[in-house]
């Protein structure tokens, strides 16, 4: 799990603040898809939930860091839904 957390952390570091947000989210999404494919055998639900929360938190921190203004989600939808609209996927067994 430490290695799984290290990759999204590196992809959303302060050094990557100049990259377009869609590109950063796409790279995190690619990592999540590959990691999920590799570890989907067995009973990975708890691990998937931990990685989902961590990836969402890192992307939200990255969005806050990109601007002087704090990230605010659009009215009427949750942060999770908004990140889904931006392209961030959530890991679950049947999606992979």
């Amino acid at each position: 799990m430490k290695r799984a957390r290290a990759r999204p952390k590196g992809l959303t570091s302060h050094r990557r603040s100049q990259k377009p947000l869609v590109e950063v989210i796409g790279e995190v999404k690619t990592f999540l898809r590959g990691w999920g494919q590799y570890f989907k055998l067995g009973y990975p639900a708890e691990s998937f939930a931990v990685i989902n929360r961590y990836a969402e938190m890192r992307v939200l921190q990255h969005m806050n860091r990109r601007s002087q203004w704090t990230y605010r989600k659009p009215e009427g939808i949750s942060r999770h839904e908004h990140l889904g609209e931006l392209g961030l996927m959530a890991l679950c067994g049947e999606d992979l």
Side-chain angles (χ1 to χ4, degrees):
M1 290 301 289
K2 285 182 182 181
R3 288 180 59 193
R5 288 182 181 198
R7 184 72 175 152
K9 185 175 182 177
L11 292 172
T12 58
S13 73
H14 69 280
R15 294 179 180 164
R16 299 176 59 95
S17 292
Q18 301 302 319
K19 287 190 107 173
L21 183 61
V22 177
E23 190 174 324
V24 171
I25 289 177
E27 291 172 352
V28 172
K29 178 180 171 181
T30 301
F31 164 75
L32 290 175
R33 183 181 297 127
W35 189 85
Q37 284 285 337
Y38 188 79
F39 289 104
K40 73 179 179 180
L41 299 177
Y43 302 98
E46 186 176 328
S47 299
F48 281 4
V50 169
I51 294 298
N52 283 336
R53 282 191 303 267
Y54 186 74
E56 284 185 7
M57 180 203 57
R58 289 299 304 181
V59 169
L60 289 171
Q61 285 179 347
H62 182 76
M63 291 168 69
N64 279 333
R65 188 182 312 115
R66 291 174 60 90
S67 174
Q68 294 177 358
W69 299 95
T70 302
Y71 161 74
R72 291 186 186 176
K73 65 179 178 62
E75 291 292 323
I77 64 172
S78 68
R79 287 184 178 158
H80 179 74
E81 289 174 311
H82 185 238
L83 290 174
E85 288 176 359
L86 292 174
L88 187 66
M89 65 175 274
L91 293 174
C92 64
E94 61 271 353
D95 287 347
L96 305 173

